Structures are given as structure tokens and as C-alpha cells.
Amino acid sequence: MTDTRGPKAPDETGAEAAAGADKPAQPYQPPQAYTAPAGPGAPRGGGAPAGQRKPRTPVRTAPRTRKARLRVARADPWSVMKVSFLLSIALGICTIVAAAVLWMVMDAMGVFSTVGGTISEATGSNEGNGFDLQAFMSLPRVLIFTSVIAVIDVVLATALATLGAFIYNLSAGFVGGVELTLAEDE
């Protein structure tokens, strides 16, 4: 380090070395750019000694989030068709599983036998040849009906999503597309 306090007389350096032998060593204090304020607005008592500055406390700033405004100018119909096909197949499988679970729960609760008995009494005669709800609403028949609905849903959803991509591309050519603001997460 360089001592910026100015030149010293030869007798001062020798005196400081002799005085330093019986005094404990103190840390080096760099020269201050300005002196501590004095006067009516100056801090009192508990502040730093005159000639010393208080260390700066680090300023905490909120993390800066980067944002970008983007525009969806075109949707590729082929990729829209592939994604909508896979999503509609997943929805069709969920529909079939939900129908099977619902049928099993209703059968375990005895809903079909109770409602079937009521319909049979209302539509049949004393011989018991009325409408049989349990035979009509059997599990295989319900699953076949649900599967047909799921296949129709897959075809329609895929076709409508692909048609929607073509229509979006046409309208985006006129108005510029949908604008999105994306932010980076920290």
C-alpha cells in the first residue's frame, strides 16, 4: 500500500517505529475523502468518530425480471392436428374409464335394480314382462356406446382444431396475430 499522508521527516519515522514497540499495533486507517460533518445537523454520540465514515450498507434491489413481447404470427396446421389428435385420444380414454367407473358405482349402490323395478312396474303387467333396465344398461353395452362417442369426439376435435389453425393463419395475416408478453421467472 502507498501512504498518501505526505512526506515524513526522517525523525518522525524513527519515532513512530520506537513508539510502536511498546504500543499495540493498530489497523491502518486510509485517508478520508471528507471529514465528518459538524454542526447543528450532525449525528451525535453514537455515530462514528470524527474523521471516519460509516460503512455503506448494501442496497437490496428487487431482482429484475426480463420481459419480452412476442406475437404468434402463424400456427402450423400439421402440428396443431398432431397435438389435438393426441389430446382428444387422451380425452376419449378418460371418458371411457369415467363411464365404466360411474356404471360400477351406480350398480354397487343398486340404482339400476331400484329404477328398473320401478320402470318394470309402470310398464309391465302382472306377468313381469315389462321393460328390463338392467339388461338394457349392461356394462358392455354402456362401454360400446361410450367408445363410439369417444371415437366421434376424436375425429371431430382433430378436424375442428386443424380448421381452427387454418382460420387463425388467415386472420393473423390481416390483424397480425395474438401478442403475448413473456416474463423470465427467477
Side-chain angles (χ1 to χ4, degrees):
M1 286 197 177
T2 305
D3 189 6
T4 59
R5 291 181 281 188
K8 293 185 179 182
D11 60 339
E12 285 181 4
T13 57
E16 282 182 1
D22 46 301
K23 268 193 196 174
Q26 292 188 354
Y28 170 73
Q29 297 292 328
Q32 302 298 315
Y34 57 89
T35 59
R44 296 184 200 160
Q52 282 188 346
R53 285 188 293 172
K54 288 186 178 179
R56 284 190 176 182
T57 57
V59 178
R60 293 187 183 187
T61 59
R64 196 171 143 208
T65 304
R66 293 189 311 174
K67 292 183 180 179
R69 283 183 65 122
L70 300 174
R71 186 171 46 98
V72 180
R74 185 175 184 279
D76 184 31
W78 177 249
S79 67
V80 169
M81 185 182 78
K82 290 188 291 187
V83 169
S84 66
F85 178 71
L86 290 177
L87 289 176
S88 59
I89 283 181
L91 181 66
I93 291 171
C94 290
T95 304
I96 292 171
V97 170
V101 168
L102 183 65
W103 187 91
M104 288 181 207
V105 167
M106 289 175 70
D107 188 47
M109 290 173 50
V111 171
F112 295 125
S113 61
T114 304
V115 174
T118 305
I119 291 175
S120 179
E121 286 177 11
T123 59
S125 59
N126 292 338
E127 297 92 45
N129 58 1
F131 181 73
D132 188 13
L133 182 66
Q134 284 181 315
F136 182 73
M137 297 287 288
S138 65
L139 181 61
R141 187 174 277 185
V142 168
L143 289 181
I144 288 173
F145 179 74
T146 307
S147 299
V148 168
I149 296 296
V151 167
I152 292 171
D153 178 49
V154 166
V155 171
L156 284 178
T158 304
L160 287 176
T162 307
L163 182 65
F166 280 114
I167 291 172
Y168 177 79
N169 289 339
L170 287 175
S171 64
F174 293 121
V175 296
V178 175
E179 287 190 11
L180 303 172
T181 300
L182 304 176
E184 185 178 27
D185 201 15
E186 287 211 52

